[in-house]
Every structure is written in structure tokens, then in C-alpha cells.
Amino acid sequence: DGSVVPANAAILMNSVVGEFECAFGGAVVGGGTLGDELANSSTGNTTWQVDRRDIATSSTISTGGCGGLGPFGALNVTLWLSGELQKGLESWTDAQVTNRRQLLATNAAYGGYALLLMGEQMCTATVSAGPELSKAQVWTRAEERFTAAIADAQASNATDILPMAYLGRARARLNLARLPEAAADARQARERIDQCSDALRVWPTLRAPARHQ
């Protein structure tokens, strides 16, 4: 694809983030409704099918893209975009792309969360039209992404991505029943979040006036 070039690295990264955020919204609403954490108040929309677990075979809930209740399609788009960007970032040089290592960390972290959610939402899954994977296999792939994100974040001093990646890997390892390793990662995430606590406390104060404009 001619769009996957060094000059577009930041735009491609924003595309990965944007696609994941949309998929995350579908995962929250779709998963919450299916699991009875949320309740649908209307019988005239597709959410009602999910709420009563009576999904029509013609439904696009499992295959639809961004904006739908089923996150599977959008998560796969996220992973495809992330994979294309990953190949580019690994082949480009620091001279060609500003903050290349930080982008590698960010891209790996978002790819990890896409896999993590896919494993939690689906009984089995495929990635980029590959073989059918069990939940454990999907979570193992997520763990690998988070491990790569941690290494790149440490190398590039990406302090915002590091706790995100540690927390994601903790959750992946928790899902894989590797509790001591999950606990160790969770402590690493908490330690780094605590280091940012002062900034996090100040941020809402700085943002508050803008909410009322």
C-alpha cells in the first residue's frame, strides 16, 4: 500500500488508535448487554437481539465494522492496521520517522489490547483471516504484543505507554491463570501510575473551565 510510508507514520498511528477506540465502545456495549451488565430499553433495535440472546443469522453483529455492537470486525481492522504499521516501523529508520521507538511501543500496546478484548469477547477467533484460535492462544498473542510494547517503551522513555502495557499484560496473564506473573505486572503498572498521580490530580483542574465554554 502506497500510504504506508514514513511520512504517514503519525497518521497511521492515529488510525490504529481511532479504530481501537471505536471497537472498544462496541465491546463495552455489546459485551455488557450480552452479559446482562446492561439492559436494552427498546425492542426496535438490534441491541434487543443481543439482550435476549436471539441474534439473527443475518445480523452483522459479529462481522460488522466500527460503530456496531459486535467488536470482532473492528478489532480485526485495528489489528490489520497495527500489523501494517508495525512492518513499516520495523523497516524504517529513526532518521525517517521521529519518535519511531515510541510509535512502536504505542502500536504494540494498542494491538495487545485489541487481542485481549477479542479473547475476552469471543469463544474462538481468527486474526487477519488466519486459523481459528482458542481464547488462550489469542491472549498469548496479546501477551507477546504487550511484552514488545514494554521493551520499546522502556527504550524510548514512553512513560505514558509503559503502565498501559504492564496493565494489559497483567490482564492477559490473569486470563491465562498465571497469577504470580499477573500480580507482578499489576504492581509495575501501579508503581508507574503512582509516579504520575500528581499530574493526574492537576489535569482535571486545568481542564475544568473548558467544559463549560
Side-chain angles (χ1 to χ4, degrees):
D1 190 338
S3 64
V4 185
V5 295
N8 291 341
I11 296 173
L12 292 168
M13 185 70 261
N14 288 339
S15 298
V16 172
V17 174
E19 191 67 34
F20 172 80
E21 289 177 344
C22 187
F24 180 74
V28 170
V29 177
T33 305
L34 185 65
D36 280 339
E37 294 174 322
L38 301 175
N40 182 51
S41 61
S42 172
T43 60
N45 57 38
T46 56
T47 313
W48 178 243
Q49 298 177 27
V50 180
D51 199 6
R52 67 183 184 180
R53 298 177 181 82
D54 185 24
I55 301 171
T57 55
S58 59
S59 173
T60 60
I61 285 175
S62 294
T63 58
C66 180
L69 282 180
F72 182 71
L75 288 173
N76 254 305
V77 173
T78 301
L79 289 168
W80 182 84
L81 287 170
S82 176
E84 292 298 297
L85 178 55
Q86 184 79 16
K87 287 185 287 187
L89 290 170
E90 289 176 348
S91 65
W92 302 329
T93 66
D94 292 340
Q96 290 176 296
V97 178
T98 303
N99 297 324
R100 185 182 69 90
R101 201 74 187 268
Q102 290 185 12
L103 289 176
L104 277 166
T106 305
N107 186 54
Y110 276 93
Y113 273 101
L115 288 163
L116 182 69
L117 281 177
M118 190 179 290
E120 292 177 347
Q121 294 272 318
M122 311 299 294
C123 295
T124 62
T126 62
V127 177
S128 300
E132 183 177 11
L133 303 172
S134 68
K135 297 169 81 69
Q137 288 173 314
V138 177
W139 289 327
T140 298
R141 290 193 179 195
E143 180 188 19
E144 292 169 355
R145 293 284 187 106
F146 289 127
T147 298
I150 290 167
D152 284 319
Q154 289 173 331
S156 61
N157 196 32
T159 55
D160 55 337
I161 297 300
L162 197 53
M164 173 185 177
Y166 268 121
L167 193 60
R169 194 171 71 173
R171 185 158 156 176
R173 288 175 168 177
L174 178 64
N175 290 341
L176 291 166
R178 289 160 49 191
L179 303 188
E181 293 170 279
D185 277 346
R187 284 192 291 270
Q188 290 285 351
R190 177 59 185 269
E191 178 182 326
R192 284 157 177 79
I193 291 171
D194 285 345
Q195 291 171 357
C196 301
S197 60
D198 289 339
L200 291 172
R201 281 195 292 268
V202 171
W203 178 247
T205 304
L206 296 176
R207 291 286 295 170
R211 296 187 187 129
H212 304 290
Q213 292 177 354

